[in-house]
């Protein structure tokens, strides 16, 4: 969870730095030629920034996917164990009921009298 937050934070920080730099360039008291030069340098850096951001997002997506898959596998394992325990308990209860029914049936069948 903290890895996901750090990736979002880094992406936000990079985006904020870019917006801040562009705003600073536009407001700064420079000549038009200097400002255009700086804007061109900033524009040239955008693809690299986008690639870094894309890589960061991909890494975070891979981590999230791995965590989701691990959680899914753990959930399936717990579910299998619960089903197996339920089947065992059901079979034991069925055996107990069968024994009780057999005992009741044998008690209700008249036994032949023994002659002495």
């Amino acid at each position: 969870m903290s890895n996901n937050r750090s990736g979002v934070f880094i992406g936000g920080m990079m985006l904020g730095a870019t917006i801040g730099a562009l705003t600073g360039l536009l407001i700064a008291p420079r000549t038009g030629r200097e400002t255009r030069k700086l804007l061109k340098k900033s524009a040239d850096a955008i693809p690299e920034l986008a690639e870094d951001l894309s890589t960061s997002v991909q890494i975070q997506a891979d981590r999230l996917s791995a965590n989701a898959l691990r959680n899914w596998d753990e959930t399936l394992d717990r579910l299998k164990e619960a089903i197996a325990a339920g089947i065992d308990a059901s079979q034991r209860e069925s055996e107990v009921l069968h024994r009780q029914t057999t005992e009741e049936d044998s008690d209700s069948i008249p036994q032949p009298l023994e002659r002495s």
Side-chain angles (χ1 to χ4, degrees):
M1 182 73 113
S2 64
N3 288 337
N4 188 22
R5 288 183 181 168
S6 65
V8 171
F9 175 76
I10 290 171
M13 188 173 69
M14 293 169 74
L15 181 62
T18 302
I19 292 171
L22 290 174
T23 303
L25 288 173
L26 294 174
I27 295 176
R30 297 192 200 275
T31 65
R33 177 177 286 162
E34 290 174 350
T35 302
R36 284 191 298 276
K37 247 186 196 178
L38 288 174
L39 284 174
K40 182 171 177 3
K41 284 183 182 180
S42 295
D44 291 342
I46 287 177
E48 185 179 328
L49 177 64
E51 185 178 336
D52 291 346
L53 186 58
S54 173
T55 302
S56 177
V57 167
Q58 183 63 43
I59 289 170
Q60 293 304 320
D62 290 345
R63 287 180 184 162
L64 181 62
S65 177
N67 285 340
L69 186 58
R70 185 173 48 252
N71 288 341
W72 177 254
D73 289 340
E74 289 172 2
T75 300
L76 283 179
D77 289 342
R78 286 194 312 265
L79 182 59
K80 288 176 186 176
E81 290 172 6
I83 289 171
I87 290 171
D88 289 343
S90 172
Q91 288 174 343
R92 284 194 305 269
E93 188 65 25
S94 177
E95 290 171 3
V96 168
L97 289 173
H98 179 69
R99 273 191 246 122
Q100 288 176 352
T101 305
T102 305
E103 289 173 4
E104 289 174 3
D105 288 346
S106 67
D107 289 344
S108 65
I109 298 175
Q111 300 291 329
L113 292 175
E114 291 183 20
R115 293 188 171 183
S116 23

